[in-house]
Amino acid sequence: MQDRKIPYKIYLEENEMPKQWYNVRADMKNKPAPLLNPGTLKPMTAQELGHVFCDELVKQELDDTTAFIDIPEEILDFYKMYRPSPLIRAYYLEKKLDTPAKIYYKFEGNNTSGSHKLNSAIAQAYYAKKQGLKGVTTETGAGQWGTALSMACSYFDLDCKVYMVKVSYEQKPFRREVMRTYGASVTPSPSETTQVGRKILAEHPGTTGSLGCAISEAVEAATTAEGYRYVLGSVLNQVLLHQSVIGLETKAALDKYGVKADIIIGCAGGGSNLGGLIAPFMGQKLRGEADYRIIAVEPASCPSLTRGKFAYDFCDTGKVCPLAKMYTLGSGFIPSPNHAGGLRYHGMSAILSQLYDDGLIEARSVEQTSVFEAAEQFARVEGILPAPESSHAIKAAIDEALKCKETGEEKTIVFGLTGTGYFDMVAYERYHNGEMTDYIPTDEDLKPSFDALPKL
Amino acid sequence: MQDRKIPYKIYLEENEMPKQWYNVRADMKNKPAPLLNPGTLKPMTAQELGHVFCDELVKQELDDTTAFIDIPEEILDFYKMYRPSPLIRAYYLEKKLDTPAKIYYKFEGNNTSGSHKLNSAIAQAYYAKKQGLKGVTTETGAGQWGTALSMACSYFDLDCKVYMVKVSYEQKPFRREVMRTYGASVTPSPSETTQVGRKILAEHPGTTGSLGCAISEAVEAATTAEGYRYVLGSVLNQVLLHQSVIGLETKAALDKYGVKADIIIGCAGGGSNLGGLIAPFMGQKLRGEADYRIIAVEPASCPSLTRGKFAYDFCDTGKVCPLAKMYTLGSGFIPSPNHAGGLRYHGMSAILSQLYDDGLIEARSVEQTSVFEAAEQFARVEGILPAPESSHAIKAAIDEALKCKETGEEKTIVFGLTGTGYFDMVAYERYHNGEMTDYIPTDEDLKPSFDALPKL
């Protein structure tokens, strides 16, 4: 069955691993629009951003011209604990689908946080430590980011306060214990511990929370305490920069074996994985050196790219954060509690939004029962139990491979398998018991949060 | 910090991976004693064993002369899905402990079953399929073996019935869902579905179950259904044979970098991991080619090697299985429900029992609060969240490294990190909340099950 030239798993050697992150903005003609100060509606200055973020991260956030940025030695050391991640040839899935397509996936789940989030968490914790801070605050949805950050903070001996979207907090008690193992404190959001949390609770009693709410709380907690800054696991330019390590390793592994991808697929919530996976490939595309089809896959229940508007919007529900120009469902949008797993952010990274608007990326949305069906099919042949988030990419990869089966084309498909589903068994159980349903918001459902978009 | 010659993680190339299992019995002068028929008290014949086990596995069980046995191509293919497992140099732990010791661990948790159990599960499922069976039955304690077997059966399209020790079934509902994802059925044991289960329930109402009970039920379920056989995840000679892949890879990785181990440490429940990890090293020791200190680490609450008797005993509580000569606490021994995690079997593999009796292995027992302390310390510096079982080995490795710190000796310590603790967060939570206690059975506690040992 196996093509003898290509091993089942490709691991780079330590000396083949990237030493620099790649900043795709440097090659973009249409740069992502700047963050705006919600008071003045002018671009946020480094000084203003410095109240919320670490200084070095502010620099990275604003730098849209430097293509390669050195990864500090301390971060490279930490990366060695769980990187390189394997690029796996999905021989078993190909066989099961009986497709001529060649499928590869970059598996980022082989670390205790269970996902790619650790790539940016360790970078952000490093810069916080370097700045002499006491700690950081953040939000987490499904819990992957919070777990990753708690590991990173433990490594650098930083305090870590996590606001966890209430519905996930209740569905995933074990996530909380992993974070506690690494010394973090975890608060369900919205909570009574912040002004903005109390306000949201008063306006929406019984709310199951949203990433947008949790961000507002975490930002308030950071900016009202001495020696703290806020860190974010997705959406921001700096996060996509750190996550470029995924794409750089993927490309190095493919190049090592002379393989050229045709289609690159990633799940998309805020864009951290997709932006990181595609970075060097998009760079080639922007420079006219190579062409790829790039597909973003999002949940039908939270369809920011496929049904959102490209507009300036608040990054959080409480409207305490800067505005970003992005594909958005409106900062008031809260996904149905019926929606399992992550990918529940109302907007999309400014970088990916711009690339999508420029026609350089395709997007599609998929319904969750079909996602779990793909997840189970994948698990049974490839062994790995995927996170629901990651399974959005699996679903699209299977669909593309089946198209190849129809046409007989031997396309090379690469997708990002962002993480494992060990903490998502409540959702798997609902799927097994036939209790999982699909929810697609109607235009009526979306109208209120669209209407509330800021008028600039 | 890093010794540049030794990478943080050593992965063998596909062509460096073992193609044969190693059967340590071939090099043992004192062979492990044969299984006895509980009716006749004579050694079990291949024909008798064939009612319970697959034919090919019976051959492996009885073969104590063939040193190397080819791994079938189909199993090698499956191994590629998650092997080679990395041999990791614990640079971060060494630094934290400030020890001159060099610590390596073989990490077997990077697969969805979360442990080394998959190495034997896939072999046993393969031989069952090859024999044309419909399915297999088994028991599972902490759930690692059941998960591994359900993955293996799914791969070969075999039915899989798992009897899960009741206390674990209740503490680990998500384990059940992972097994269901792979299509297995899971029954809490003791259950009303078997004669022996009903008998045990009548005698011990409210029992939390034991591996010994669950084995009895699984064997009954296999032998009373057409086209089924029973499979076991530990204790048996065949299992240690399959698990030798752990030790063979470990030795190949060490040899590749010219490293000679001084101390080899493994946690020990039934002996599957320890037996596999030490196999080729023990082979050298038996042939007089090299010497190693080999340490088995077991829970103080289930101390079969350190406090058990070396005697013929039943492998199961219901006394339906053959008798094995092993270090045992008596087949009636049930660990305190207070005991978290696996390693709860009343006996120890006949191979390891013989080697221990011959003075070729050391053994020690450790208390669980100290095990969780070691686990958390390890997680925070090495990233990986270890299973409680595996953490017994971590505890002993740390203790040995600290001895080196006192003496200044630069010993090389290798231990087996058998799996991950994602499904053990209830136990971690008890530890975090200060609710975990230690339980060491008194001599009085052990007396009844010792007294009930069969008189041969």
Side-chain angles (χ1 to χ4, degrees):
Chain A
M1 181 182 86
Q2 185 172 344
D3 171 357
R4 282 286 148 208
K5 290 195 299 291
I6 312 283
Y8 179 71
K9 287 187 289 190
I10 306 176
Y11 282 106
L12 298 176
E13 302 288 327
E14 267 185 22
N15 59 17
E16 296 169 323
M17 282 167 66
K19 302 280 185 296
Q20 297 181 307
W21 291 306
Y22 168 63
N23 181 7
V24 74
R25 287 167 290 167
D27 286 308
M28 287 170 71
K29 273 174 208 152
N30 299 325
K31 306 285 182 190
L35 295 169
L36 298 187
N37 181 313
T40 64
L41 296 183
K42 286 187 181 157
M44 292 287 286
T45 63
Q47 200 188 5
E48 287 168 338
L49 285 169
H51 296 303
V52 179
F53 300 117
C54 303
D55 298 342
E56 193 65 29
L57 292 167
V58 168
K59 268 193 218 161
Q60 295 180 355
E61 191 62 29
L62 297 175
D63 183 347
D64 58 10
T65 54
T66 311
F68 288 95
I69 294 176
D70 286 344
I71 307 175
E73 203 59 45
E74 291 87 344
I75 298 175
L76 287 174
D77 269 349
F78 188 89
Y79 277 172
K80 281 183 203 156
M81 285 172 62
Y82 68 102
R83 307 204 68 81
S85 70
L87 181 71
I88 303 177
R89 173 75 181 269
Y91 284 113
Y92 301 92
L93 182 62
E94 291 171 16
K95 189 178 164 199
K96 177 83 180 176
L97 299 175
D98 189 23
T99 174
K102 294 170 175 59
I103 308 174
Y104 293 82
Y105 55 99
K106 179 69 169 169
F107 179 43
E108 291 286 318
N110 264 352
N111 69 73
T112 287
S113 79
S115 82
H116 68 292
K117 295 286 185 182
L118 200 50
N119 302 330
S120 184
I122 193 63
Q124 297 194 47
Y126 167 75
Y127 291 118
K129 186 70 182 180
K130 204 178 154 199
Q131 196 173 322
L133 298 178
K134 280 187 218 159
V136 293
T137 71
T138 199
E139 77 296 325
T140 196
Q144 293 183 334
W145 167 247
T147 310
L149 189 68
S150 64
M151 288 177 68
C153 285
S154 158
Y155 184 75
F156 284 123
D157 203 18
L158 282 168
D159 187 37
C160 179
K161 294 183 199 300
V162 179
Y163 287 86
M164 185 168 185
V165 177
K166 202 173 194 172
V167 60
S168 297
Y169 183 90
E170 286 164 1
Q171 279 191 356
K172 301 184 176 183
F174 294 170
R175 277 280 186 202
R176 185 192 62 216
E177 289 309 318
V178 181
M179 294 187 237
R180 283 179 79 194
T181 300
Y182 289 95
S185 73
V186 189
T187 308
S189 169
S191 77
E192 298 283 349
T193 68
T194 64
Q195 216 171 353
V196 65
R198 290 189 292 272
K199 185 160 171 277
I200 291 166
L201 281 172
E203 285 169 12
H204 307 280
T207 176
T208 52
S210 70
L211 267 186
C213 296
I215 293 174
S216 300
E217 291 206 82
V219 170
E220 182 184 323
T223 51
T224 56
E226 190 67 41
Y228 281 77
R229 290 294 185 281
Y230 167 71
V231 296
L232 180 63
S234 191
V235 183
L236 296 175
N237 299 332
Q238 59 190 263
V239 176
L240 270 69
L241 174 71
H242 307 147
Q243 294 294 358
S244 69
V245 71
I246 304 173
L248 291 163
E249 278 187 14
T250 302
K251 190 164 179 307
L254 290 172
D255 288 350
K256 187 171 173 175
Y257 287 90
V259 176
K260 158 77 174 61
D262 296 303
I263 306 175
I264 301 168
I265 298 171
C267 61
S272 66
N273 156 66
L274 181 69
L277 174 67
I278 68 172
F281 303 99
M282 181 57 78
Q284 289 184 295
K285 193 164 167 165
L286 288 163
R287 297 188 303 271
E289 296 166 6
D291 198 20
Y292 303 97
R293 275 184 67 201
I294 293 175
I295 305 173
V297 193
E298 59 185 14
S301 55
C302 191
S304 54
L305 280 178
T306 50
R307 295 179 65 197
K309 296 192 189 305
F310 191 37
Y312 263 108
D313 190 14
F314 290 96
C315 291
D316 63 326
T317 312
K319 304 186 178 178
V320 302
C321 290
L323 291 90
K325 191 176 177 196
M326 56 184 178
Y327 276 83
T328 177
L329 298 164
S331 65
F333 178 81
I334 293 185
S336 159
N338 164 62
H339 169 68
L343 310 182
R344 46 175 62 246
Y345 187 61
H346 66 273
M348 178 61 64
S349 133
I351 293 175
L352 293 176
S353 292
Q354 187 61 54
L355 292 169
Y356 179 59
D357 204 59
D358 289 343
L360 294 159
I361 294 177
E362 304 168 34
R364 68 178 65 163
S365 73
V366 288
E367 297 172 28
Q368 69 178 352
T369 51
S370 70
V371 166
F372 275 83
E373 191 185 358
E376 190 162 282
Q377 184 176 15
F378 178 83
R380 290 189 180 190
V381 292
E382 288 288 321
I384 296 165
L385 182 79
E389 295 84 342
S390 327
S391 305
H392 287 71
I394 296 174
K395 166 68 180 152
I398 289 177
D399 287 347
E400 290 299 319
L402 291 176
K403 278 186 211 162
C404 289
K405 186 176 175 178
E406 276 177 31
T407 62
E409 289 173 290
E410 291 189 23
K411 286 188 180 164
T412 295
I413 300 169
V414 176
F415 72 90
L417 189 73
T418 57
T420 49
Y422 300 112
F423 293 102
D424 299 287
M425 297 321 294
V426 169
Y428 271 94
E429 184 175 12
R430 277 166 56 203
Y431 173 72
H432 293 147
N433 293 344
E435 294 159 8
M436 180 172 280
T437 53
D438 290 316
Y439 168 76
I440 304 177
T442 63
D443 291 344
E444 281 301 296
D445 294 333
L446 295 177
K447 192 165 182 299
S449 58
F450 280 148
D451 288 349
L453 281 171
K455 313 286 180 286
L456 302 194
Chain B
M1 180 183 86
Q2 184 172 345
D3 171 356
R4 282 288 147 206
K5 291 194 299 292
I6 312 282
Y8 179 71
K9 287 187 288 189
I10 306 174
Y11 281 107
L12 297 177
E13 302 288 327
E14 268 185 21
N15 59 17
E16 296 169 323
M17 282 167 65
K19 302 279 185 295
Q20 297 181 308
W21 292 305
Y22 168 63
N23 182 6
V24 74
R25 286 168 289 168
D27 285 308
M28 288 170 71
K29 271 175 212 153
N30 299 325
K31 306 285 183 191
L35 295 169
L36 298 188
N37 182 313
T40 64
L41 295 182
K42 286 187 182 159
M44 291 285 288
T45 63
Q47 199 188 5
E48 287 168 337
L49 284 170
H51 296 302
V52 179
F53 301 117
C54 304
D55 298 342
E56 191 65 29
L57 292 167
V58 168
K59 267 193 217 160
Q60 295 180 354
E61 192 62 29
L62 297 175
D63 182 348
D64 59 11
T65 54
T66 312
F68 289 95
I69 294 177
D70 286 344
I71 307 175
E73 203 60 44
E74 291 86 344
I75 297 175
L76 287 174
D77 269 349
F78 188 89
Y79 277 172
K80 282 185 203 154
M81 286 173 61
Y82 68 102
R83 308 203 67 82
S85 70
L87 181 72
I88 303 178
R89 172 76 181 268
Y91 284 114
Y92 301 91
L93 182 62
E94 290 172 16
K95 189 178 164 197
K96 178 82 180 178
L97 299 175
D98 190 22
T99 174
K102 293 170 176 59
I103 309 174
Y104 293 83
Y105 55 98
K106 180 71 169 168
F107 180 42
E108 291 286 318
N110 265 353
N111 70 74
T112 286
S113 79
S115 82
H116 68 292
K117 295 286 186 183
L118 199 51
N119 302 329
S120 183
I122 193 63
Q124 298 193 48
Y126 166 75
Y127 292 117
K129 185 70 181 180
K130 204 178 155 200
Q131 196 173 322
L133 298 178
K134 281 189 218 160
V136 293
T137 71
T138 198
E139 77 297 325
T140 195
Q144 293 183 334
W145 166 247
T147 310
L149 189 69
S150 64
M151 288 177 67
C153 286
S154 158
Y155 184 75
F156 284 122
D157 203 19
L158 281 168
D159 186 36
C160 179
K161 296 183 199 299
V162 180
Y163 287 85
M164 185 169 186
V165 177
K166 200 173 196 175
V167 61
S168 297
Y169 183 90
E170 285 164 2
Q171 279 189 356
K172 302 185 176 181
F174 294 171
R175 276 280 185 203
R176 184 193 60 217
E177 288 310 318
V178 180
M179 294 187 237
R180 284 180 78 193
T181 300
Y182 289 95
S185 73
V186 189
T187 308
S189 167
S191 77
E192 298 283 349
T193 67
T194 64
Q195 215 172 353
V196 64
R198 290 190 291 273
K199 182 159 173 277
I200 292 167
L201 280 172
E203 285 170 11
H204 306 281
T207 176
T208 52
S210 70
L211 268 184
C213 296
I215 292 173
S216 300
E217 290 206 83
V219 170
E220 181 183 323
T223 49
T224 55
E226 189 66 41
Y228 281 77
R229 290 293 185 282
Y230 166 72
V231 297
L232 179 63
S234 192
V235 183
L236 295 174
N237 299 333
Q238 59 189 262
V239 176
L240 270 69
L241 174 71
H242 307 147
Q243 294 295 358
S244 69
V245 71
I246 305 173
L248 292 164
E249 278 187 15
T250 302
K251 189 162 179 309
L254 291 171
D255 288 350
K256 187 171 173 176
Y257 287 91
V259 176
K260 159 76 175 60
D262 296 304
I263 306 175
I264 301 168
I265 299 171
C267 62
S272 66
N273 158 67
L274 182 70
L277 174 66
I278 68 172
F281 303 99
M282 181 57 78
Q284 289 184 294
K285 194 165 167 166
L286 288 164
R287 296 189 303 270
E289 296 165 8
D291 198 21
Y292 303 96
R293 274 184 67 203
I294 293 173
I295 306 173
V297 193
E298 60 185 13
S301 55
C302 191
S304 54
L305 279 178
T306 51
R307 296 178 64 197
K309 297 193 189 304
F310 190 37
Y312 264 108
D313 190 14
F314 289 97
C315 292
D316 64 326
T317 312
K319 304 185 179 178
V320 301
C321 291
L323 291 90
K325 190 176 177 195
M326 57 185 177
Y327 276 83
T328 177
L329 297 164
S331 65
F333 178 80
I334 294 186
S336 159
N338 165 62
H339 169 67
L343 311 181
R344 46 174 62 245
Y345 187 60
H346 66 272
M348 178 61 63
S349 130
I351 292 175
L352 293 176
S353 293
Q354 187 62 53
L355 292 169
Y356 179 59
D357 204 58
D358 289 342
L360 294 159
I361 294 178
E362 302 168 36
R364 67 178 66 161
S365 73
V366 289
E367 297 173 28
Q368 68 177 352
T369 51
S370 70
V371 166
F372 275 83
E373 191 184 358
E376 190 162 283
Q377 185 176 16
F378 178 84
R380 290 189 179 188
V381 293
E382 289 289 320
I384 296 165
L385 183 78
E389 295 83 342
S390 326
S391 305
H392 287 72
I394 296 175
K395 166 67 179 152
I398 289 176
D399 288 346
E400 290 300 319
L402 291 176
K403 277 186 212 161
C404 288
K405 186 176 176 179
E406 276 176 32
T407 62
E409 289 173 290
E410 292 189 22
K411 287 188 182 164
T412 294
I413 300 169
V414 176
F415 73 90
L417 189 72
T418 56
T420 49
Y422 299 113
F423 293 103
D424 299 288
M425 296 322 294
V426 168
Y428 271 95
E429 184 174 13
R430 277 165 56 202
Y431 173 71
H432 294 146
N433 294 344
E435 293 158 10
M436 179 171 281
T437 54
D438 291 315
Y439 168 77
I440 305 176
T442 63
D443 290 344
E444 281 302 295
D445 293 333
L446 295 177
K447 192 167 182 299
S449 58
F450 281 148
D451 288 350
L453 281 171
K455 314 283 179 288
L456 301 195

